[in-house]
Amino acid sequence: FPETLSNPRLIPVQRTLNVVMNQKVTLSCHSDSGSPPVRYTLFKRNQKVSTLNRPDLTPGLFNLTINSASDVGEYKCKAENNISSGGKYSNSLNFTLIEPISKPVLSSPTSQAKKAQNVTLSCLSENGSLPITYIFFKGKQSISPPVKMQKREAAVIFLFINSSSDFGTYKCKAENSFRNNTKYSNSFNFTLAEERSHSQTLIISLALILLLFIIGFALAIPFFIIPSYKASE
């Protein structure tokens, strides 16, 4: 006896909804039961994309190319046979467009530091799909656990400059779900800020006192010269 179709299942043949720009993907629409032949129609945001006819209950395979961000919208399919009224609709699918990350930038509010000083380092990739995971390095040694950022914000770590070795070369790396796309930042070095010695401070202080004395003396001259000049007239 003729049998109505079951609701079809729409699944990605590649088993993932994460896609990159210009990627080719295949969607499978399949009703497990019902009387053939079957007509499968694929929709994107309720707009018909394509129709396939199957003489049996084999899946309808729709080949797509992700050319733009609009191609990752909601997809559904419909299955119809000779006795179905209006057809049966599948679940909906949405692709996620994965973009490669850009080279991260490593920076700090200051490039000079003294010993026994707290400093910060920030690492940020301006482009790339979120979330992005950052790791900080000094030389080739990791100095932080992975920091996963769900927003387009810099990952920040706090450092304590305690010895000369802390003035080494720092870097960070960034990666997201885009495969084989780890990017390393620029190198960053702190330089030792010059500290004035006690003798330098004393010399500068004496020089300032002498300068103030000269200025004061120069300002006082008119008060002594002008009265004496008038007295001699």
Side-chain angles (χ1 to χ4, degrees):
F1 296 95
E3 184 182 358
T4 58
L5 293 167
S6 61
N7 284 84
R9 291 181 298 113
L10 185 64
I11 60 173
V13 173
Q14 61 275 8
R15 298 184 181 182
T16 179
L17 291 172
N18 293 334
V19 295
V20 298
M21 199 67 75
N22 300 319
Q23 180 178 337
K24 296 183 183 299
V25 296
T26 301
L27 292 179
S28 170
C29 184
H30 183 219
S31 289
D32 294 323
S33 60
S35 300
V38 182
R39 181 168 66 255
Y40 293 110
T41 304
L42 182 69
F43 295 87
K44 181 180 71 176
R45 296 191 183 97
N46 298 321
Q47 296 293 318
K48 184 189 293 187
V49 176
S50 181
T51 298
L52 296 172
N53 293 301
R54 288 289 179 263
D56 48 28
L57 291 179
T58 56
L61 300 178
F62 297 93
N63 297 311
L64 308 170
T65 302
I66 305 300
N67 289 317
S68 67
S70 64
D71 293 329
V72 299
E74 182 186 60
Y75 288 87
K76 282 187 177 183
C77 70
K78 180 173 72 170
E80 302 170 277
N81 63 4
N82 294 330
I83 64 170
S84 61
S85 176
K88 296 292 183 70
Y89 285 87
S90 72
N91 55 296
S92 61
L93 291 180
N94 285 275
F95 290 107
T96 299
L97 186 61
I98 303 298
E99 296 179 90
I101 51 177
S102 58
K103 180 179 178 178
V105 175
L106 184 64
S107 61
S108 175
T110 179
S111 60
Q112 292 188 333
K114 301 175 183 178
K115 290 183 180 179
Q117 179 180 341
N118 290 303
V119 295
T120 60
L121 280 174
S122 301
C123 186
L124 175 64
S125 286
E126 291 286 354
N127 300 301
S129 302
L130 299 169
I132 298 176
T133 300
Y134 298 94
I135 299 179
F136 292 83
F137 295 85
K138 187 179 74 175
K140 296 182 179 180
Q141 183 71 35
S142 170
I143 58 172
S144 76
V147 181
K148 182 177 285 190
M149 303 299 295
Q150 302 288 346
K151 297 181 179 181
R152 188 76 59 191
E153 297 175 349
V156 179
I157 62 167
F158 299 89
L159 303 173
F160 181 67
I161 304 298
N162 192 42
S163 64
S164 299
S165 62
D166 295 326
F167 290 93
T169 300
Y170 292 87
K171 280 190 175 185
C172 68
K173 77 173 181 179
E175 56 189 359
N176 62 3
S177 55
F178 195 98
R179 293 182 179 180
N180 303 318
N181 188 51
T182 298
K183 294 288 182 68
Y184 285 86
S185 73
N186 54 294
S187 299
F188 188 91
N189 290 75
F190 290 105
T191 56
L192 180 62
E194 294 184 4
E195 298 183 16
R196 290 172 178 167
S197 65
H198 179 71
S199 59
Q200 287 177 317
T201 303
L202 181 60
I203 292 171
I204 292 172
S205 299
L206 291 174
L208 288 173
I209 292 172
L210 180 60
L211 179 62
L212 290 173
F213 177 78
I214 293 171
I215 293 173
F217 181 75
L219 292 174
I221 288 176
F223 294 98
F224 290 101
I225 294 178
I226 294 174
S228 59
Y229 175 78
K230 287 182 179 181
S232 63
E233 288 181 348

